Amino acid sequence: MKLLLIHADFMEYRVEKKTKVAEPFESEGGRVDDVLVAFTAVEKGDSEAVVEKAAEEITEVAKKVGAEKILVYPYAHLSSNLSDPETAVRMLKLLADNLSNSFEVHRAPFGWYKSFTISCKGHPLSELSREIKGEEEVTQALKDEEEVVSYWYILTPEKELVEVSKFSFEGYENLKKFVNYEMAKKRAVDRIPPHVELMQRLQIADYEEASDSGHMRYYPKGRLIKSLLETFVTEKCVEYGAMEVETPLMYDRNHPTLRKYLERFPARQYIIKGDKRDFFLRFAACFGQFLMKSDAVITYRNLPLKMYELTRYSFRKEQRGEVVGLRRLRAFTMPDMHTLAKDMDQAKREFFDQYRLSVEVLKEIGLEPEDYEVAIRVTKDFYNENKEFVHSLVDVLKKPILVEMWDRRFFYFVLKFEFNFVDALDKASALSTVQIDVENAERYDISYVDEDGSRKRPYILHCSASGAIERCMYALLEKAHMDAEKGKLPMLPVWLSPTQVRIIPISRAFLDAALEVAEKLRKARVRVDVDDRDETLGKKIRDAAREWVPYIVVLGEEEVKGGFMTVTVRAESTLEQQKRVRTTAEELISRISEECRGKPYKPLPLPMLLSERPSFR
RNA sequence: GCCACGGUAGCUCAGCCGGUAGAGCGCGUGCUUGGUAAGCACGAGGUCGCGGGUUCAAAUCCCGCCCGUGGCUCCA
């Protein structure tokens, strides 16, 4: 709704001629003195709520200027996105009604050609315009979510289901934090999450203020780390048996199938206006993969059928205040694998396997089971029918699991698990997750031909083996921070460290020797750089340490003459006591390749000489 | 969306009872060539978020706006 408010000495109008949409009107016109005229255009999508807000705005202005009379005057020219006439009349009447409690309200008729004379008072507040927007479209699932009644339990390693209030959290402090976080959903923290400062200081990632919030920039080091994680998770899923595909980022908002799915997914979308159609940006790879599977000819022989895509990006228009650092973004990268399963038995087998796959993926990324807590969300019916299966999940990690149970199925799945990382501020966020989807095969018309020739609906598993890549980075940084608080030197896993080895020549005279060693390491696929800056040794050591370089090599006369290397090993050092070893280039290479075994490799993302590097902040 | 706080040099921030714009770090130049967490000196660098107001005079006070961060909410 658009409003143009004019505080006038008087406003006089005459109805001249009817249009097709004219509302009945007997008189010839009207005149009101000392009036606040509200020229009003009702727009598409305007609802009762919008009218209410408009009335509040008008009331506020009227009070400010001291007007006691209001004339609601339909004025289509304020908008190029008008509602239909019936709605407009209805809304205009409603607006007048709304205002009539506090003011003397007049209303000019809708749908007539009218002439008018207005005498604007001309003081600073006498001409104002307002745009009133409705609440953004909220999906049914978001509304449903508010009504969900949850029952909370702990599934113990002994496979007992205990009410949360009766469970003793002794020895499970992290689980307690997680449960608190989940159930209370409240937190008072006045600190910036530690990973935000780290991602900036280490020149990994940063806010991009020229974009929407939650869309980050990744500096060379950050891009390297992200790229390695992306490659690694993709390789793990492909190795697990998934076929990698690529699907579009945006889809028709009014496509009947997709529309229904949107309604079932409690997330806010970005909307893109096209020429004829409106599009939404995908929040996961479901859309493209389901459409692909819907068109495919699939038989029981092809099942379980796994399809995978790394979404760069998934978009979710999270509420303003919940977007923070790398924890929660509006554009993020997620490994998204969907498995078609023949029947519930196969679905359960896959669920279990993917649970284990997720444990393994996180472990190799550098996140151990003690770094996260497991949650299972399940409908009561599914739980009762599959108790033994649900309980069997506890065998994998042998630690208690938080169980959230629902009376009825609000969402598209009957069972899901999540691995939740608990950060330095005791906030939890989900990493890996798998869900058993019982709805979308039907909705997307996905079917397979069974042995007897009949067409059947498969179950669909949604699996994000690591969770969002950015969130993995957040977890690694938060973990490093918590390590530091415990007195350990913070660092990233060696395979993810942008610089794995830094060579520091003791003086300019040893720069060539340093370059020679560096070349040897580089050829062996070690990310090595050389601090050739004109700085003191102490300064260079300090800088290398502040960058979390895992291996610092100091090279001087002793080393060149003796043919060895002096290496400071970060993982075995503390702030007080550096662990320094004598070794050879070959030994260092083999140690690093051992630490990076099975992980992807990418070369140094920056010039090898520190003097040639820009500083990004 | 709500609440709080903030926006001054590349970064972190000081200045804010109005009176010529500051520090540290970083950057550049020179000295220095070092043995394991900050060498020394000099120099460059600013539309004090934007618009209005008050005033002889505004980074500073007032009003409006924009942007950001944190919290709430939410978190599939």
Side-chain angles (χ1 to χ4, degrees):
Chain A
M1 176 173 285
K2 294 238 168 58
L3 295 174
L4 173 63
L5 303 177
I6 293 189
H7 192 205
D9 290 321
F10 71 89
M11 162 95 174
E12 190 170 4
Y13 68 91
R14 274 182 50 188
V15 293
E16 304 285 351
K17 198 171 166 227
K18 257 186 172 173
T19 68
K20 280 184 293 200
V21 294
E23 62 174 319
F25 189 69
E26 298 304 326
S27 140
E28 289 183 349
R31 174 184 166 116
V32 193
D33 291 300
D34 276 318
V35 62
L36 182 67
V37 183
F39 291 98
T40 307
V42 180
E43 298 182 290
K44 273 203 185 86
D46 283 353
S47 60
E48 285 77 3
V50 170
V51 169
E52 229 163 87
K53 277 161 88 181
E56 282 166 24
E57 286 283 347
I58 294 171
T59 303
E60 196 181 314
V61 172
K63 283 193 175 142
K64 259 190 208 159
V65 301
E68 287 166 7
K69 290 176 255 180
I70 288 171
L71 172 59
V72 175
Y73 195 97
Y75 204 65
H77 316 288
L78 291 171
S79 170
S80 54
N81 185 31
L82 292 168
S83 76
D84 61 89
E86 291 75 27
T87 309
V89 174
R90 196 158 56 83
M91 294 299 158
L92 287 165
K93 282 184 178 160
L94 197 61
L95 180 59
D97 279 355
N98 247 314
L99 290 164
S100 61
N101 295 328
S102 338
F103 303 97
E104 175 186 329
V105 179
H106 303 258
R107 194 167 68 79
F110 182 93
W112 297 75
Y113 293 109
K114 300 180 283 291
S115 59
F116 68 78
T117 309
I118 186 165
S119 169
C120 178
K121 282 183 182 290
H123 61 77
L125 291 177
S126 61
E127 295 168 278
L128 293 169
S129 69
R130 290 280 187 275
E131 180 172 2
I132 315 294
K133 282 195 195 128
E135 298 300 316
E136 62 184 302
E137 205 170 318
V138 171
T139 65
Q140 193 53 44
L142 275 175
K143 290 178 198 151
D144 283 349
E145 194 174 40
E146 290 172 8
E147 292 166 24
V148 169
V149 180
S150 301
Y151 301 89
W152 302 93
Y153 303 93
I154 299 291
L155 180 61
T156 69
E158 294 74 36
K159 305 192 178 180
E160 278 176 291
L161 198 68
V162 182
E163 278 176 46
V164 162
S165 56
K166 295 185 180 141
F167 182 78
S168 159
F169 286 95
E170 218 175 304
Y172 300 111
E173 278 66 31
N174 217 40
L175 177 65
K176 184 162 180 43
K177 287 177 187 172
F178 171 55
V179 169
N180 283 347
Y181 184 78
E182 280 294 308
M183 293 178 62
K185 302 199 167 193
K186 231 177 192 160
R187 212 93 254 110
V189 179
D190 51 2
R191 276 168 60 201
I192 298 175
H195 82 279
V196 173
E197 281 169 27
L198 290 175
M199 77 182 189
Q200 292 174 325
R201 185 175 67 70
L202 296 172
Q203 300 193 24
I204 288 171
D206 215 330
Y207 297 113
E208 175 52 77
E209 298 190 357
S211 183
D212 193 11
S213 57
H215 295 240
M216 311 301 279
R217 55 161 72 150
Y218 297 89
Y219 299 119
K221 289 179 193 172
R223 178 58 209 147
L224 173 85
I225 294 167
K226 185 157 178 276
S227 169
L228 287 168
L229 288 167
E230 289 168 358
T231 307
F232 173 72
V233 178
T234 300
E235 281 173 0
K236 292 298 279 188
C237 289
V238 168
E239 194 182 291
Y240 181 73
M243 303 175 278
E244 188 177 359
V245 297
E246 181 170 327
T247 60
L249 296 189
M250 56 187 234
Y251 295 90
D252 185 345
R253 198 180 172 201
N254 291 313
H255 186 287
T257 304
L258 302 182
R259 174 108 211 155
K260 279 186 219 145
Y261 184 39
L262 281 182
E263 278 295 323
R264 290 292 281 161
F265 200 94
R268 297 171 170 84
Q269 270 73 50
Y270 278 105
I271 306 295
I272 305 279
K273 291 233 176 277
D275 286 343
K276 288 185 178 162
R277 297 187 284 179
D278 288 351
F279 300 95
F280 65 91
L281 296 179
R282 69 175 181 191
F283 51 76
C286 308
F287 306 98
Q289 291 187 18
F290 291 173
L291 291 167
M292 198 182 278
K293 283 173 168 166
S294 172
D295 288 338
V297 178
I298 298 166
T299 81
Y300 70 97
R301 293 175 204 278
N302 311 138
L303 302 182
L305 186 155
K306 299 157 202 160
M307 201 174 263
Y308 169 88
E309 178 170 2
L310 184 81
T311 67
R312 202 164 113 204
Y313 288 107
S314 286
F315 297 92
R316 296 186 191 180
K317 219 171 115 196
E318 305 292 6
Q319 290 192 83
R320 201 74 181 59
E322 58 193 8
V323 175
V324 49
L326 292 171
R327 177 147 70 98
R328 194 166 187 76
L329 296 165
R330 284 182 166 181
F332 59 95
T333 309
M334 179 177 67
D336 203 3
M337 177 169 74
H338 295 94
T339 306
L340 298 188
K342 192 155 81 88
D343 48 34
M344 194 46 90
D345 274 350
Q346 195 174 62
K348 283 175 350 194
R349 270 201 301 282
E350 280 296 319
F351 187 92
F352 194 81
D353 286 350
Q354 292 177 19
Y355 188 99
R356 285 197 302 204
L357 173 72
S358 300
V359 171
E360 190 185 318
V361 165
L362 288 189
K363 194 186 211 82
E364 295 201 45
I365 283 175
L367 299 167
E368 303 291 334
E370 56 268 27
D371 295 323
Y372 54 82
E373 297 301 330
V374 186
I376 291 174
R377 327 259 174 186
V378 63
T379 63
K380 195 167 256 174
D381 287 351
F382 185 89
Y383 175 78
N384 286 332
E385 286 158 27
N386 300 276
K387 249 182 208 170
E388 207 172 315
F389 170 69
V390 174
H391 290 182
S392 74
L393 293 170
V394 92
D395 291 335
V396 178
L397 292 176
K398 302 189 170 52
K399 58 188 227 169
I401 292 174
L402 174 67
V403 177
E404 179 176 13
M405 217 178 284
W406 298 307
D407 276 344
R408 63 181 182 92
R409 184 163 63 79
F410 290 93
F411 309 123
Y412 56 77
F413 57 85
V414 289
L415 173 67
K416 81 178 275 203
F417 81 79
E418 294 152 18
F419 294 157
N420 289 274
F421 180 79
V422 181
D423 71 18
L425 304 181
D426 296 349
K427 296 214 163 222
S429 36
L431 294 167
S432 317
T433 177
V434 177
Q435 302 147 16
I436 300 180
D437 175 346
V438 298
E439 261 186 31
N440 282 302
E442 178 80 37
R443 179 170 300 130
Y444 282 82
D445 191 24
I446 297 170
S447 62
Y448 70 93
V449 182
D450 207 352
E451 283 175 77
D452 59 6
S454 64
R455 277 161 54 96
K456 289 187 177 159
R457 294 288 176 214
Y459 291 101
I460 304 176
L461 284 85
H462 302 237
C463 168
S464 188
S466 66
I469 302 295
E470 294 84 351
R471 203 170 260 190
C472 291
M473 294 168 73
Y474 139 81
L476 287 169
L477 290 173
E478 289 281 330
K479 185 183 176 182
H481 173 84
M482 289 188 277
D483 281 347
E485 296 215 309
K486 287 181 212 142
K488 276 182 69 182
L489 286 180
M491 63 184 292
L492 292 171
V494 173
W495 72 282
L496 290 171
S497 296
T499 294
Q500 294 168 320
V501 179
R502 161 122 349 130
I503 302 181
I504 303 180
I506 201 113
S507 75
R508 215 174 286 151
F510 296 95
L511 180 57
D512 284 346
L515 289 172
E516 211 172 289
V517 177
E519 192 53 21
K520 197 187 274 180
L521 296 178
R522 192 187 65 79
K523 281 192 177 137
R525 290 158 73 91
V526 168
R527 285 188 294 271
V528 57
D529 55 25
V530 176
D531 194 342
D532 62 328
R533 296 173 307 163
D534 182 14
E535 296 290 354
T536 56
L537 182 64
K539 174 83 173 270
K540 293 187 200 179
I541 299 279
R542 180 183 146 85
D543 286 348
R546 276 174 53 84
E547 273 186 64
W548 299 1
V549 174
Y551 298 101
I552 302 174
V553 175
V554 173
L555 198 103
E557 191 167 4
E558 284 175 42
E559 287 77 8
V560 170
K561 277 199 178 144
F564 60 87
M565 288 168 79
T566 307
V567 184
T568 303
V569 182
R570 185 172 181 85
E572 296 167 23
S573 302
T574 62
L575 202 52
E576 296 75 36
Q577 182 80 50
Q578 293 184 356
K579 166 78 174 186
R580 229 172 289 159
V581 298
R582 266 188 190 193
T583 181
T584 62
E586 288 69 27
E587 275 173 15
L588 184 59
I589 288 168
S590 81
R591 175 173 177 151
I592 291 172
S593 359
E594 186 55 36
E595 285 172 324
C596 300
R597 186 206 294 278
K599 306 297 196 307
Y601 164 80
K602 303 215 173 216
L604 192 71
L606 286 160
M608 190 161 83
L609 295 178
L610 263 64
S611 68
E612 293 177 1
R613 277 181 200 179
S615 165
F616 289 97
R617 54 178 281 127

